[in-house]
Amino acid sequence: MNAPISRRTVTASLLAGAAALGTAGAAYSAPATAHDTGRPHARPDTPTVVLIHGAFADASSWSGVVERLQRRGHRVLAPALPLRGLASDAAYIRSVLDSVTGPVVLVGHSYGGAVISQAAADAPHVKALVYVAAFVPEVGESALQLTDRFPGSTLGQATVTQYYPLPGGGQGEELVIKKDLFRRQFAAGVPVRTAQVMAAGQRPIALAALREPATAAAWKTIPSWYLVATEDRNIPPAAERWMAERARARTVAVRAPHAVSVSDPGPVTDLILSAARSVRPGH
């Protein structure tokens, strides 16, 4: 059932966190154990929340959410995602999950949704999946296939292709959003200065990662939550609603851009807390 949430103003603390894009990313990028990922006095049965960013963002995009979750007593991890390939990205995030003791609420934004769907497969301590304007692929589906399933995405016109060397030789292709279009495409409504900092620190994604089909769909066995960003220009909102319905996710809608964790960290946090409350101690 969809429950609309009104747009909230970005707080001064979020602006400070987003402005410190580079330092925030460093602070949350290293894998760590549950003992050093949040408030030191969190209860042992309190789920650790692991936040996975998507393309064109980095871990600092979660700053406002991290701050709020820590205030509520949750341990939090927000690792840096390589954005090089779905299988390799999921394997890396699985290694982060394996470092955590106790129950986990796993959250993915955008392409990060495809990653958590694969990384959480056969991970018994992952108790809830939260998708934030994210891909929820079935086995065999890719992010690009899901984007093209419904009209409305303007990402293709807003990106340029760059090239990078592959380990075995040759070149790979990666996408980056044009800086002059970044705010409109990715972060409409975010203050201009904040969007400029985000554009400067955006993480390119390998085109191969967006084309790579999923090999697991953890949402079939793990309870799921979904936040639809109704002003999204990367993933069509119709695609988001369709994926949420298919996954039988508990769904809310927020009038927000694709970068909803930056523009509206409050509703994002509320949805994560709802998922965390569903995790029963000892289960």
Side-chain angles (χ1 to χ4, degrees), residues 119-213:
D122 302 317
H125 62 312
V126 176
K127 302 300 183 181
L129 298 172
V130 182
Y131 296 90
V132 179
F135 293 110
V136 190
E138 172 63 278
V139 173
E141 290 178 342
S142 71
L144 282 182
Q145 284 177 316
L146 289 168
T147 299
D148 293 341
R149 190 179 181 93
F150 294 85
S153 176
T154 56
L155 184 61
Q157 303 95 294
T159 55
V160 293
T161 303
Q162 301 179 158
Y163 300 91
Y164 64 96
L166 295 171
Q171 290 185 316
E173 296 176 294
E174 63 183 13
L175 298 179
V176 64
I177 297 177
K178 301 171 187 175
K179 289 186 174 59
D180 61 330
L181 298 179
F182 185 91
R183 183 170 182 260
R184 181 180 178 213
Q185 178 64 39
F186 193 79
V190 171
V192 173
R193 289 181 62 187
T194 302
Q196 288 172 340
V197 173
M198 293 172 64
Q202 66 175 297
R203 297 277 306 282
I205 185 168
L207 189 55
L210 297 174
R211 290 172 171 163
E212 187 174 342

Side-chain angles (χ1 to χ4, degrees), residues 35-269:
H35 297 293
D36 57 10
T37 58
R39 295 180 63 175
H41 302 298
R43 286 172 20 197
D45 58 354
T46 300
T48 297
V49 178
V50 181
L51 304 165
I52 309 303
H53 68 81
F56 318 115
D58 70 4
S60 70
S61 62
W62 294 111
S63 294
V65 176
V66 170
E67 195 175 287
R68 287 163 171 78
L69 289 171
Q70 289 180 337
R71 284 204 303 262
R72 296 295 294 269
H74 284 277
R75 305 173 185 88
V76 184
L77 277 173
L81 192 60
L83 302 174
R84 298 292 87 174
L86 181 55
S88 59
D89 288 342
Y92 172 70
I93 294 306
R94 181 56 181 263
S95 74
V96 175
L97 296 175
D98 290 344
S99 75
V100 179
T101 302
V104 168
V105 174
L106 185 57
V107 185
H109 172 242
S110 190
Y111 165 76
V115 173
I116 69 171
S117 295
Q118 194 148 315
D122 302 317
H125 62 312
V126 176
K127 302 300 183 181
L129 298 172
V130 182
Y131 296 90
V132 179
F135 293 110
V136 190
E138 172 63 278
V139 173
E141 290 178 342
S142 71
L144 282 182
Q145 284 177 316
L146 289 168
T147 299
D148 293 341
R149 190 179 181 93
F150 294 85
S153 176
T154 56
L155 184 61
Q157 303 95 294
T159 55
V160 293
T161 303
Q162 301 179 158
Y163 300 91
Y164 64 96
L166 295 171
Q171 290 185 316
E173 296 176 294
E174 63 183 13
L175 298 179
V176 64
I177 297 177
K178 301 171 187 175
K179 289 186 174 59
D180 61 330
L181 298 179
F182 185 91
R183 183 170 182 260
R184 181 180 178 213
Q185 178 64 39
F186 193 79
V190 171
V192 173
R193 289 181 62 187
T194 302
Q196 288 172 340
V197 173
M198 293 172 64
Q202 66 175 297
R203 297 277 306 282
I205 185 168
L207 189 55
L210 297 174
R211 290 172 171 163
E212 187 174 342
T215 59
W219 50 268
K220 290 186 173 183
T221 56
I222 300 174
S224 301
W225 283 253
Y226 199 106
L227 185 147
V228 175
T230 64
E231 305 300 308
D232 200 328
R233 295 184 178 183
N234 277 26
I235 304 174
E240 295 180 9
R241 292 190 182 94
W242 180 80
M243 289 185 285
E245 184 176 354
R246 181 175 66 173
R248 299 182 179 179
R250 298 162 180 84
T251 304
V252 299
V254 179
R255 189 171 181 269
H258 191 62
V260 59
S261 64
V262 180
S263 66
D264 295 82
V268 174
T269 304

